[in-house]
């Protein structure tokens, strides 16, 4: 069992995280299913990867039902819990980075039913065959194909379109940070698409917008004003850092050892189209 734990822990964590959007829940699920596996007859573990993935998927499907009820009373938009993906080249971090969907994709997954989400993650992130997905979920292959097509449609992704988001270069992120720190609204504005959207998740624990903000002029002014307010709150000690988050280039807003926000940006044809800012302190432990 220890060998299985070392071999599959990273894969199972990645699966559970993308099914729940919560790193804490994912860790609990993985620990729970390995604990329960100690009582499983060895014959049932002849195909350990399939068996463990099925246990994780079923556990997460149950969790999502209760999570949806909790999110109905959540203050403001709900965003997935970000994780810091270490730059150290270990087997575990390589597995996690390779199989992680972009943060923007994790946000879009919230539009799906739990079963649609499971099919999408198993197929698009982890590359499972339809036959394996059907076995894991107890469905027909044809049904799984329909569920994937429906999931892509809800997420606004065509059948031919890859799920990988446009890469965000370090130089681009550094330029964006510089504009924010200088409070240059016009320069920030020049980096945004006209229909750019800002989504911030404070969870009622900190000051944040309680609904998505859209349009380049409004977003540029809110970003500049927000950073000025944060600098005042932290007595001028707040600053941005580039950080490896969720397998991509993210931004951390920090004051000393305290992290105030984790920020993700999504580009479209070289301009910033989406900004996701996680400010709820309960969601920043993994950053």
């Amino acid at each position: 069992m220890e060998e299985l734990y070392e071999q599959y822990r990273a894969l199972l964590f990645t699966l559970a995280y993308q099914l729940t959007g919560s790193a804490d829940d994912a860790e609990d699920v993985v620990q729970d299913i390995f604990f329960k596996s100690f009582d499983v007859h060895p014959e049932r573990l002849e195909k350990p990867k399939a068996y463990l993935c099925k246990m994780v998927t079923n556990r997460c499907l149950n969790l999502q039902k209760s999570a949806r009820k909790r999110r109905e009373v959540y203050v403001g938009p709900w965003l997935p819990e970000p994780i810091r993906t270490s730059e150290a080249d270990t087997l575990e971090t390589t597995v996690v980075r390779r199989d992680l969907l972009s943060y923007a994709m994790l946000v879009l997954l919230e539009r799906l039913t739990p079963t649609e989400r499971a099919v999408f993650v198993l197929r698009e992130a982890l590359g499972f065959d339809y036959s394996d997905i059907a076995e894991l979920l107890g469905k027909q292959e044809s049904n799984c194909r329909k569920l994937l097509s429906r999931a892509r449609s809800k997420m606004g992704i065509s059948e031919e379109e890859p799920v990988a988001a446009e890469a965000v270069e370090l130089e681009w992120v550094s330029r964006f940070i510089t504009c924010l720190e200088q409070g240059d609204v016009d320069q920030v504005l020049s980096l945004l698409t006209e229909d750019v959207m800002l989504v911030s998740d404070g969870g009622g624990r900190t000051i944040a917008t309680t609904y998505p903000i859209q349009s380049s002029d409004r977003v540029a002014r809110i970003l500049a004003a927000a950073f000025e307010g944060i600098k005042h709150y932290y007595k001028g000690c707040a600053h941005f850092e580039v950080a490896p988050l969720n397998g991509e280039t993210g931004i951390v807003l920090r004051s000393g050892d305290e992290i105030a926000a984790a920020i993700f940006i999504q580009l479209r044809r070289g301009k910033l189209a989406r900004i996701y800012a996680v400010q709820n302190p309960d969601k920043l432990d993994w950053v």
Side-chain angles (χ1 to χ4, degrees), residues 12-79:
L12 299 176
F13 174 84
T14 305
L15 171 59
Y17 171 62
Q18 295 184 124
L19 290 179
T20 63
S22 166
D24 282 334
D25 284 346
E27 187 176 50
D28 289 344
V29 166
V30 173
Q31 297 291 342
D32 185 48
I33 67 105
F34 272 106
F35 180 76
K36 290 179 179 177
S37 296
F38 275 103
D39 297 326
V40 175
H41 194 280
E43 288 184 358
R44 297 180 65 184
L45 287 172
E46 287 183 3
K47 296 180 179 179
K49 179 181 176 181
Y51 182 82
L52 293 171
C53 284
K54 184 171 185 175
M55 289 186 69
V56 166
T57 301
N58 288 337
R59 182 81 176 90
C60 289
L61 288 174
N62 290 333
L63 273 178
Q64 283 180 288
K65 293 175 183 177
S66 58
R68 284 176 179 267
K69 292 181 179 179
R70 293 198 305 269
R71 290 171 196 174
E72 289 176 358
V73 294
Y74 193 81
V75 179
W78 187 95
L79 289 174

Side-chain angles (χ1 to χ4, degrees), residues 110-128:
E110 293 300 314
R111 300 180 181 180
L112 309 182
T113 66
T115 307
E116 290 168 347
R117 183 169 183 153
V119 172
F120 189 91
V121 169
L122 289 166
R123 178 66 179 171
E124 300 289 5
L126 302 179
F128 277 57

